[in-house]
Amino acid sequence: MKQTRFFTQKCFFGRVLFYNKIIFLVFCVSAFSIFSTSAQDLSTYYDSAQSYKNKDLEKQSFFTKKLLSESQKQKNKEYLLKAYHLTATIFYEKANKDSAFFYIDKALDLAEIMKNNETKIEVLRLKGFIYKNRVYNKDSALLFFQKALQESKRLDYKYGKIKNLEAISFLLMDKGNYLDATQLLLEAREIAHEIKDKKALSSIANNIGHTYLQMYMYEKALPFFNEANRHREDKTTASIIPLNIAECYYRTGNTKKALLILDKNTPLALKTSLNMAIEYHLEYVNLFLEIEEPQKALEKIKILDSLLIDSKPQAYRNLLLLKAKTHLQLKDTLKAHNYVKEVEKKISIESNDDFINRMTMHELFSYTYMFLKDYKKANYHSQKYISIYKATYNKELQQNIYESEVNQRMLLQEKENELQKLKYLTEIEKEQQNRKYFLIGLVSLLIIFIVITRAYWINKKYSIELKNTNHKLSESQSEVIQQNHILHEQSEELMRQSEELKCSHEEVLAMNDNLEDVVKQRNQEVLEKNKMLEEYAFINAHKLRAPVARLLGIMQIIELSKDTSEIEFYLQICNKEIKDLDRIIWAIKEAIEEKTPLDRWELEKRKEMK
């Protein structure tokens, strides 16, 4: 009974342990699924925010806010850094410089903690663009672009080098320093060729073409724009490059081709981004003014007014000047004069180096003041226009200097590339020659070593063979003596075996006499054992199997049940069945120990006694 109680307790605690393991596994799976789901949500928010980049600022802002809040809750630093960067970019697009700076500082701090230098470089470049396009402090912008470039060079981050060289070149172009801007772009192009980055090559070729465009060298600009068009991969470059090509055509008098290019690429530009849509509509206005169709220009101006262009100061100043030109063509000089006056206010407040718009403003003022018969002011603005024009665009001289310098620098860069290539080939050839001499020497040493080793082993082989021959002769002599001894022993063994055969023959004769009695006795034993096996099979199938089957059924019910009282009821039944099984096992054990026949009826009696 003590053994039965111990067995029951062991089963109960085993079952409890089994359930504890199941609960632990369920907890682990749940925790893992929650963690993986959370990480998957963050990835989904980030991908969604990226998919709306340059398409729908509000939707991008919505998913970025989700990403920011979730990454803060989960304390996921990787996605939190991405969220800070995206949020800063969105505030930059919305011209909210204070909020943009706030998230940029957070991103820089987190990037410093995580040692994520590539993101740090991208954030520094973004900060430079905010100073350039929102604060209008180009010196501070240059400082951050240079800092990002230094970090890129320190880490040998080639993509960062390209982007920051381009950014610095934009600043130099804004200041009219096209030669140094081109030098930086050529340096960036060399890196892009090295890493075979088609997107970067397209952007750089486009920017080099833009420097020619700013120098009024439209025919020189066109090959670079065509090169950029060949390498283009994303939607932004697919829209801006045709825009520049169209400008080259209309500036050289081919307005029809320019209009065809704009009409072909406008649908894609409108889908790309708001900035791109503004640029295309501004180009349309320029074209319509060039072919003297002010009504069509006015329609595009209305579209630009609906695009909230006043939130983009540079584009807004361009639009005001285009409005003035349009109204001049419509003979509404007074309205044109008011637009130019508005430009004068904007330039004086917001920009110190917007010399192109300043020059256009003075040109238009000279026309409008002449119409208003204020000849003094008309003359003043005319002189201003001429002085800025002379200081900024001594076209032929500047173009010749620029073209010769650029050609010299490109030629110098090509020669440097050729020298580097020649140096590289020479080093490879020298290395191959050294390798060749090394291999010849190594092969010679190997041949000498093989010859010496072979001679040594041949000599050693002959000496070993001679020793072996002498040893074999001495062994053969001893073998002859040993074989004589063996023959003597074998003769004695044969005598002994003949005696054994006689004894075994006598035993066989005796066994033949008793064989029939032995067979009968063995048959009787086999029959008794077969009967015991049948009884055991019956007991196993009916007496032992029945309680086990009931226990298995009850355990399945317990596994499906959730009610504690019901589980306790079934556990009591299990206890009863286990006790029944224990009585059967003890009855079988006693029958075996007493060596009595295993009979089912006798078993029942023993079980009842227990």
Side-chain angles (χ1 to χ4, degrees), residues 450-571:
I450 290 167
V451 169
I452 292 168
T453 307
R454 184 167 177 76
Y456 169 76
W457 282 110
I458 288 168
N459 187 25
K460 192 173 182 180
K461 182 182 176 183
Y462 287 146
S463 64
I464 288 168
E465 283 179 358
L466 185 61
K467 284 179 183 179
N468 288 338
T469 306
N470 291 331
H471 184 66
K472 283 177 181 177
L473 286 170
S474 61
E475 281 180 351
S476 61
Q477 188 177 1
S478 60
E479 279 177 6
V480 169
I481 295 167
Q482 190 175 359
Q483 283 175 3
N484 288 329
H485 181 68
I486 289 167
L487 286 170
H488 180 69
E489 286 178 351
Q490 285 176 351
S491 63
E492 288 179 355
E493 181 69 21
L494 286 170
M495 292 291 288
R496 186 179 61 79
Q497 285 178 359
S498 63
E499 289 294 329
E500 285 179 358
L501 283 171
K502 284 179 182 179
C503 291
S504 61
H505 179 67
E506 289 173 359
E507 285 177 3
V508 167
L509 291 173
M511 283 175 69
N512 284 334
D513 295 335
N514 299 324
L515 185 60
E516 188 176 351
D517 295 334
V518 171
V519 168
K520 285 180 181 180
Q521 187 181 352
R522 292 285 173 87
N523 284 339
Q524 185 63 34
E525 287 175 1
V526 168
L527 288 171
E528 287 176 0
K529 284 181 180 179
N530 284 341
K531 187 177 179 182
M532 285 179 72
L533 284 172
E534 285 176 5
E535 286 298 322
Y536 177 73
F538 178 83
I539 290 163
N540 184 49
H542 295 280
K543 301 297 180 181
L544 286 173
R545 180 62 186 161
V548 171
R550 288 194 293 274
L551 277 171
L552 289 171
I554 291 165
M555 291 312 296
Q556 286 179 355
I557 293 168
I558 289 170
E559 286 175 358
L560 294 172
S561 176
K562 295 180 180 179
D563 188 358
T564 310
S565 60
E566 190 177 347
I567 290 170
E568 287 178 0
F569 171 72
Y570 285 119
L571 284 172

Side-chain angles (χ1 to χ4, degrees), residues 355-399:
F355 53 87
I356 296 171
N357 282 339
R358 192 179 290 279
M359 186 177 68
T360 309
M361 179 191 73
H362 287 302
E363 183 186 12
L364 292 173
F365 264 140
S366 67
Y367 293 138
T368 57
Y369 277 119
M370 187 70 73
F371 174 79
L372 295 169
K373 296 182 181 182
D374 190 342
Y375 301 114
K376 188 178 179 181
K377 285 187 178 179
N379 183 54
Y380 168 77
H381 286 290
S382 181
Q383 291 298 322
K384 277 282 186 184
Y385 168 72
I386 291 165
S387 65
I388 294 172
Y389 185 86
K390 282 182 178 178
T392 310
Y393 295 116
N394 190 346
K395 285 186 189 176
E396 191 172 348
L397 179 62
Q398 277 199 348
Q399 286 176 3

